[in-house]
């Protein structure tokens, strides 16, 4: 089924069409270029680009060229706010501002950002206010992602300020990640209902409450992925569902593509866009 026919079918049912994007994290360790190619070949609606140390992920010109070549719109930019990307784009506020500027340049409406680390004191104290200011300045939405508690010798270490859980914080827009929810022992299906209109972006994956950020295929962990997707479709969710699963352990040729196609079909079926 083509994108246009899916959109037409959804419009005829008087419910919003929910695009399904492929995150560049899902093809790691392959390149950003591979993300666009795989998304095109499998029929995704667009891509989410995670900014890393890779030059292509940092270049609006390269991303625009890839988007045009593969007919894949860039739907989100993931700011380099991970622990492993602390050296990318310098200081914390610079990371957010450059991500917002690049999102505006490539036509992405969303910037995904993690909450501040505890040691980023000045940044953390003014985070909600700063996110709101930069969003307005560049005309994009910065959606803060849920994280999870770090544990050291069985005790929780306070790694994030003001907290790893954005549900109780004054953020206007939130990105919800199912794998992070699993680590935190949370039920994504229930949390999405609590977020209501604050839910702006979704990282669809799965996991188990074993302390590891597994990013499993939906249905392989403990999260109620199918029910959550059905809820989004039923309630008129107006954002994007981005597939962010780990395929780094694949072995055989074509196995990564098979997993990403399986996840795409699972997502569209539960969003009511295709039938079994």
């Amino acid at each position: 089924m083509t994108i246009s026919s899916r959109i037409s079918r959804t419009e005829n049912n008087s419910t919003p069409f929910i695009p399904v994007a492929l995150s560049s994290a899902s093809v790691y360790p392959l390149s950003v270029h591979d993300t666009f190619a795989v998304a095109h070949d499998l029929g995704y609606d667009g891509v989410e680009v995670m900014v890393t140390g890779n030059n292509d992920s940092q270049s609006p010109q390269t991303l625009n060229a890839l988007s045009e070549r593969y007919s894949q719109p860039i739907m989100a930019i993931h700011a380099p706010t991970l622990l492993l990307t602390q050296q990318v784009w310098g200081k914390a506020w610079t990371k957010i501002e450059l991500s917002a500027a690049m999102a505006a340049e490539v036509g992405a409406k969303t910037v995904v950002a993690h909450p501040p680390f505890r040691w980023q004191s000045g940044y953390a104290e003014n985070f909600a206010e700063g996110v709101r200011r930069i969003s307005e300045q560049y005309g994009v939405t910065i959606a803060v992602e849920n994280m999870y508690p770090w544990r050291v010798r069985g005790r929780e270490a306070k790694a994030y300020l003001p907290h790893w859980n954005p549900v109780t914080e004054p953020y206007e827009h939130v990105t919800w990640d199912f794998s992070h929810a699993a680590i935190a022992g949370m039920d994504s299906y229930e949390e999405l209902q609590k977020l209501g209109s604050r839910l702006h972006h979704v990282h669809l994956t799965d996991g188990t409450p074993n302390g590891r950020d597994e990013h499993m295929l939906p249905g392989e962990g403990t999260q109620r992925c199918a029910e959550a997707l059905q809820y989004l479709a039923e309630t008129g969710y107006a954002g994007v569902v981005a597939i962010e699963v780990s395929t780094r352990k694949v072995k055989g040729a074509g196995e990564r593509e098979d997993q990403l196609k399986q996840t795409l079909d699972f997502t569209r079926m539960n969003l009511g866009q295709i039938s079994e």
Side-chain angles (χ1 to χ4, degrees), residues 106-211:
V106 302
K109 297 180 180 180
T110 301
V111 172
V112 176
H114 288 184
F117 291 111
R118 189 173 183 82
W119 55 84
Q120 297 173 311
S121 55
Y123 172 63
E125 290 167 4
N126 302 296
F127 186 63
E129 178 184 343
V131 161
R132 190 177 302 112
R133 174 183 57 80
I134 294 174
S135 292
E136 293 173 354
Q137 180 180 352
Y138 289 96
V140 299
T141 297
I142 300 175
V144 182
E145 184 171 3
N146 63 309
M147 295 306 291
Y148 47 85
W150 290 11
R151 298 192 180 280
V152 179
R153 296 177 182 175
R155 293 186 176 182
E156 181 176 343
K158 297 187 180 300
Y160 297 100
L161 280 177
H163 203 270
W164 51 265
N165 181 12
V167 177
T168 57
E169 301 302 323
Y171 306 133
E172 295 179 21
H173 305 286
V174 170
T175 294
W176 192 260
D177 185 296
F178 284 57
S179 179
H180 298 170
I183 299 173
M186 303 174 83
D187 183 328
S188 291
Y189 176 60
E190 294 181 355
E191 297 302 322
L192 296 186
Q193 295 176 61
K194 295 177 186 178
L195 280 168
S197 61
R198 295 170 61 207
L199 178 67
H200 180 78
H201 194 70
V202 169
H203 282 165
L204 181 65
T205 178
D206 209 339
T208 57
N210 64 3

Side-chain angles (χ1 to χ4, degrees), residues 50-73:
M50 179 176 287
V51 179
T52 65
N54 178 276
N55 290 335
D56 287 346
S57 74
Q58 303 176 25
S59 169
Q61 295 77 18
T62 300
L63 296 180
N64 277 329
L66 289 170
S67 176
E68 182 176 359
R69 175 178 177 181
Y70 290 101
S71 301
Q72 288 290 306

